[in-house]
Amino acid sequence: MEKKPHFVRREFLPRDVPSISLALLLAAVLLLNALLYLYLNKFYTSLGRVETDRGLCPFGHFKFGAVKNCSPWLSCEAINREVRKLKCVGEGAVKKVFLSEWKEKKVVLSQLTNSELKEDFLHGLKMLKALQSKHVVRLLGYCEQQFTILTEYHPLGSLRGLNETLHIPKYKGMNTWHRRLMLAIDYVSVIRYLHSSPLGTLVMCDSNDLDKVLSQYLLTSDFHVLVNDLDALPLVNRSAGRLVKCGHRELRGEFVAPEQRWPYGEDVPFQDDLMPPYDEKTDIWKIPDVSNFFLGHVEGSDIVRLHLFDIHAACKKKDPAERPSAQEVLDTYRKVLTLLIREAAMPGTREML
């Protein structure tokens, strides 16, 4: 008897196709999450590395660029012998700043211009020495006798020129909500560092308007933020009952915190000895305005502002005690960055699949 051919029925195939697609989708999502995790882990590791790590040099030493060995801070003799001024690039109330050259490297030489402000100059030098970290411009040397400070040169200059820099063809690729938010995170990281510094809680007093704030910070060539001017950093010590006042003149305008303004009305003339002191929460009040500058008006920046609305509203509480700490603001900024990166990545994955 002739055997009939035996055909295997493949009814399971139509049901297998969706399951295979689902498995591929799941694998793609897992891969995306893994890549996102690695990216964010690398980013936060760089944010959270040891604050005083400046190339693993001991205190009183430095290295930068491609140089492998640490060098001691340059002395008066070394500065006079080895540093050559090129041109004046800025002048403020306290010091004049010169673009200079040391061993064929561009550096910055700052010199006191007003002898009446030498205490401010020396205070800035003291802060610069004590606060060396990834948040602070690198100190290369100093000469107290000649009121001279030597620091690392950053060709992009202060944050006042950020928008102009981002319109240069070379840097247009950096002009995104993502990069701008990272700069804001850098800025808040500096404030957090100052509020929990090795010296105690320090207040950034040279910050009476936006332009003044931006002038205190540098933009590095790899697009990070460094604080550069530390001449006005008074110390808050609550346990000793020590608060601060930023200068001896009346402060006005919405940029400064309410507690920094004269509280007794227009009919009472300003008197410094009657002005109540305050604490580091004045820095928190100013964060939303500075961050608004960082975010600019690029595509996606309004979405970032929407996500930051609640924390910025908290920063603007009239009562300083109700404002968040710099650490709380920083944590929120980082969470928003993580969330928005994930949201931006997922639609691309769906299209790919």
Short mmCIF file of all heavy atoms in Angstrom, two decimals, residues 250-275:
data_model
loop_
_atom_site.label_atom_id
_atom_site.label_comp_id
_atom_site.label_asym_id
_atom_site.label_seq_id
_atom_site.Cartn_x
_atom_site.Cartn_y
_atom_site.Cartn_z
N GLU A 250 23.40 99.88 49.77
CA GLU A 250 22.05 99.38 49.58
C GLU A 250 21.95 98.63 48.26
O GLU A 250 22.44 99.08 47.22
CB GLU A 250 21.04 100.54 49.58
CG GLU A 250 19.60 100.07 49.44
CD GLU A 250 18.60 101.21 49.50
OE1 GLU A 250 19.02 102.38 49.63
OE2 GLU A 250 17.39 100.93 49.40
N LEU A 251 21.32 97.47 48.30
CA LEU A 251 21.11 96.65 47.10
C LEU A 251 19.66 96.79 46.66
O LEU A 251 18.74 96.74 47.49
CB LEU A 251 21.43 95.18 47.39
CG LEU A 251 22.87 94.89 47.86
CD1 LEU A 251 23.04 93.40 48.13
CD2 LEU A 251 23.89 95.38 46.83
N ARG A 252 19.46 96.93 45.37
CA ARG A 252 18.11 97.10 44.82
C ARG A 252 17.87 96.12 43.68
O ARG A 252 18.81 95.55 43.14
CB ARG A 252 17.90 98.54 44.31
CG ARG A 252 17.99 99.62 45.39
CD ARG A 252 17.88 101.01 44.75
NE ARG A 252 17.90 102.08 45.74
CZ ARG A 252 16.82 102.60 46.29
NH1 ARG A 252 15.62 102.14 45.95
NH2 ARG A 252 16.92 103.58 47.18
N GLY A 253 16.60 95.98 43.31
CA GLY A 253 16.25 95.18 42.14
C GLY A 253 15.73 93.80 42.51
O GLY A 253 15.97 93.29 43.60
N GLU A 254 15.02 93.20 41.54
CA GLU A 254 14.41 91.90 41.76
C GLU A 254 15.42 90.76 41.69
O GLU A 254 15.14 89.65 42.15
CB GLU A 254 13.31 91.64 40.71
CG GLU A 254 12.11 92.57 40.84
CD GLU A 254 11.41 92.39 42.18
OE1 GLU A 254 11.19 91.24 42.58
OE2 GLU A 254 11.08 93.41 42.82
N PHE A 255 16.60 91.01 41.14
CA PHE A 255 17.58 89.93 41.03
C PHE A 255 18.12 89.52 42.39
O PHE A 255 18.29 88.33 42.67
CB PHE A 255 18.74 90.36 40.11
CG PHE A 255 19.69 89.23 39.80
CD1 PHE A 255 19.39 88.32 38.80
CD2 PHE A 255 20.86 89.06 40.52
CE1 PHE A 255 20.26 87.25 38.51
CE2 PHE A 255 21.73 88.02 40.24
CZ PHE A 255 21.42 87.11 39.24
N VAL A 256 18.40 90.50 43.26
CA VAL A 256 18.88 90.16 44.60
C VAL A 256 17.72 89.65 45.44
O VAL A 256 16.56 89.99 45.21
CB VAL A 256 19.57 91.36 45.29
CG1 VAL A 256 20.80 91.77 44.51
CG2 VAL A 256 18.63 92.53 45.44
N ALA A 257 18.02 88.83 46.42
CA ALA A 257 16.99 88.22 47.25
C ALA A 257 16.30 89.28 48.12
O ALA A 257 16.90 90.32 48.44
CB ALA A 257 17.62 87.15 48.13
N PRO A 258 15.04 89.04 48.50
CA PRO A 258 14.29 90.01 49.31
C PRO A 258 15.02 90.41 50.59
O PRO A 258 14.99 91.58 50.99
CB PRO A 258 12.98 89.28 49.63
CG PRO A 258 12.82 88.30 48.51
CD PRO A 258 14.21 87.88 48.14
N GLU A 259 15.68 89.44 51.23
CA GLU A 259 16.36 89.75 52.50
C GLU A 259 17.61 90.60 52.29
O GLU A 259 18.17 91.12 53.27
CB GLU A 259 16.71 88.46 53.25
CG GLU A 259 17.70 87.55 52.54
CD GLU A 259 17.03 86.54 51.61
OE1 GLU A 259 15.89 86.78 51.17
OE2 GLU A 259 17.67 85.50 51.33
N GLN A 260 18.04 90.77 51.03
CA GLN A 260 19.19 91.64 50.75
C GLN A 260 18.79 93.09 50.53
O GLN A 260 19.65 93.96 50.41
CB GLN A 260 19.94 91.13 49.52
CG GLN A 260 20.64 89.79 49.71
CD GLN A 260 21.45 89.40 48.49
OE1 GLN A 260 20.91 88.90 47.51
NE2 GLN A 260 22.75 89.61 48.55
N ARG A 261 17.49 93.33 50.44
CA ARG A 261 17.00 94.69 50.20
C ARG A 261 16.67 95.40 51.51
O ARG A 261 16.31 94.75 52.50
CB ARG A 261 15.76 94.65 49.29
CG ARG A 261 16.00 93.95 47.96
CD ARG A 261 14.72 93.75 47.19
NE ARG A 261 14.79 92.56 46.33
CZ ARG A 261 13.77 91.84 45.94
NH1 ARG A 261 12.53 92.19 46.31
NH2 ARG A 261 13.93 90.78 45.18
N TRP A 262 16.78 96.69 51.49
CA TRP A 262 16.50 97.52 52.67
C TRP A 262 15.06 97.30 53.12
O TRP A 262 14.13 97.50 52.35
CB TRP A 262 16.74 98.99 52.31
CG TRP A 262 16.47 99.98 53.40
CD1 TRP A 262 15.54 100.97 53.38
CD2 TRP A 262 17.19 100.11 54.63
NE1 TRP A 262 15.60 101.72 54.53
CE2 TRP A 262 16.61 101.21 55.32
CE3 TRP A 262 18.23 99.42 55.24
CZ2 TRP A 262 17.06 101.63 56.57
CZ3 TRP A 262 18.69 99.83 56.49
CH2 TRP A 262 18.11 100.92 57.14
N PRO A 263 14.87 96.85 54.38
CA PRO A 263 13.52 96.43 54.79
C PRO A 263 12.64 97.53 55.39
O PRO A 263 11.48 97.26 55.72
CB PRO A 263 13.82 95.37 55.85
CG PRO A 263 15.09 95.81 56.48
CD PRO A 263 15.88 96.50 55.39
N TYR A 264 13.18 98.76 55.51
CA TYR A 264 12.45 99.77 56.27
C TYR A 264 11.79 100.85 55.42
O TYR A 264 11.35 101.88 55.92
CB TYR A 264 13.39 100.42 57.31
CG TYR A 264 13.99 99.39 58.24
CD1 TYR A 264 15.37 99.16 58.27
CD2 TYR A 264 13.19 98.63 59.08
CE1 TYR A 264 15.93 98.22 59.11
CE2 TYR A 264 13.74 97.68 59.93
CZ TYR A 264 15.10 97.48 59.93
OH TYR A 264 15.64 96.53 60.77
N GLY A 265 11.72 100.61 54.11
CA GLY A 265 10.98 101.51 53.25
C GLY A 265 11.77 102.72 52.79
O GLY A 265 12.87 103.02 53.28
N GLU A 266 11.17 103.45 51.83
CA GLU A 266 11.84 104.60 51.22
C GLU A 266 11.99 105.77 52.19
O GLU A 266 12.86 106.62 52.02
CB GLU A 266 11.05 105.06 49.99
CG GLU A 266 11.00 104.04 48.84
CD GLU A 266 12.34 103.90 48.15
OE1 GLU A 266 13.18 104.81 48.27
OE2 GLU A 266 12.56 102.86 47.49
N ASP A 267 11.12 105.83 53.19
CA ASP A 267 11.15 106.98 54.11
C ASP A 267 12.31 106.92 55.09
O ASP A 267 12.63 107.93 55.73
CB ASP A 267 9.83 107.07 54.88
CG ASP A 267 8.64 107.34 53.95
OD1 ASP A 267 8.87 107.94 52.88
OD2 ASP A 267 7.51 106.95 54.29
N VAL A 268 12.91 105.76 55.23
CA VAL A 268 14.04 105.60 56.16
C VAL A 268 15.32 105.48 55.35
O VAL A 268 15.48 104.53 54.58
CB VAL A 268 13.87 104.35 57.04
CG1 VAL A 268 15.04 104.22 58.02
CG2 VAL A 268 12.54 104.40 57.79
N PRO A 269 16.24 106.42 55.49
CA PRO A 269 17.50 106.36 54.73
C PRO A 269 18.29 105.10 55.09
O PRO A 269 18.27 104.64 56.23
CB PRO A 269 18.25 107.62 55.17
CG PRO A 269 17.20 108.52 55.72
CD PRO A 269 16.15 107.64 56.31
N PHE A 270 18.97 104.53 54.08
CA PHE A 270 19.75 103.32 54.30
C PHE A 270 20.89 103.57 55.27
O PHE A 270 21.61 104.56 55.16
CB PHE A 270 20.31 102.81 52.97
CG PHE A 270 21.20 101.61 53.11
CD1 PHE A 270 20.65 100.34 53.22
CD2 PHE A 270 22.59 101.74 53.14
CE1 PHE A 270 21.46 99.23 53.35
CE2 PHE A 270 23.40 100.63 53.26
CZ PHE A 270 22.84 99.37 53.37
N GLN A 271 21.03 102.67 56.24
CA GLN A 271 22.16 102.69 57.16
C GLN A 271 22.70 101.26 57.27
O GLN A 271 21.95 100.35 57.64
CB GLN A 271 21.76 103.19 58.54
CG GLN A 271 21.29 104.64 58.56
CD GLN A 271 20.95 105.09 59.98
OE1 GLN A 271 21.78 104.99 60.88
NE2 GLN A 271 19.73 105.57 60.16
N ASP A 272 23.96 101.10 56.97
CA ASP A 272 24.53 99.76 56.93
C ASP A 272 24.41 99.04 58.27
O ASP A 272 24.13 97.84 58.32
CB ASP A 272 26.01 99.84 56.52
CG ASP A 272 26.65 98.46 56.41
OD1 ASP A 272 26.02 97.56 55.82
OD2 ASP A 272 27.77 98.29 56.91
N ASP A 273 24.58 99.76 59.38
CA ASP A 273 24.53 99.09 60.68
C ASP A 273 23.12 98.65 61.06
O ASP A 273 22.95 97.84 61.98
CB ASP A 273 25.12 99.99 61.77
CG ASP A 273 24.41 101.34 61.86
OD1 ASP A 273 23.72 101.72 60.90
OD2 ASP A 273 24.56 102.01 62.89
N LEU A 274 22.09 99.16 60.36
CA LEU A 274 20.71 98.74 60.62
C LEU A 274 20.25 97.64 59.66
O LEU A 274 19.17 97.06 59.85
CB LEU A 274 19.76 99.93 60.51
CG LEU A 274 19.93 101.06 61.52
CD1 LEU A 274 18.90 102.16 61.28
CD2 LEU A 274 19.83 100.53 62.96
N MET A 275 21.06 97.36 58.66
CA MET A 275 20.69 96.36 57.66
C MET A 275 20.87 94.96 58.25
O MET A 275 21.97 94.59 58.68
CB MET A 275 21.55 96.51 56.41
CG MET A 275 21.27 95.50 55.31
SD MET A 275 19.63 95.71 54.58
CE MET A 275 19.43 94.12 53.79
#
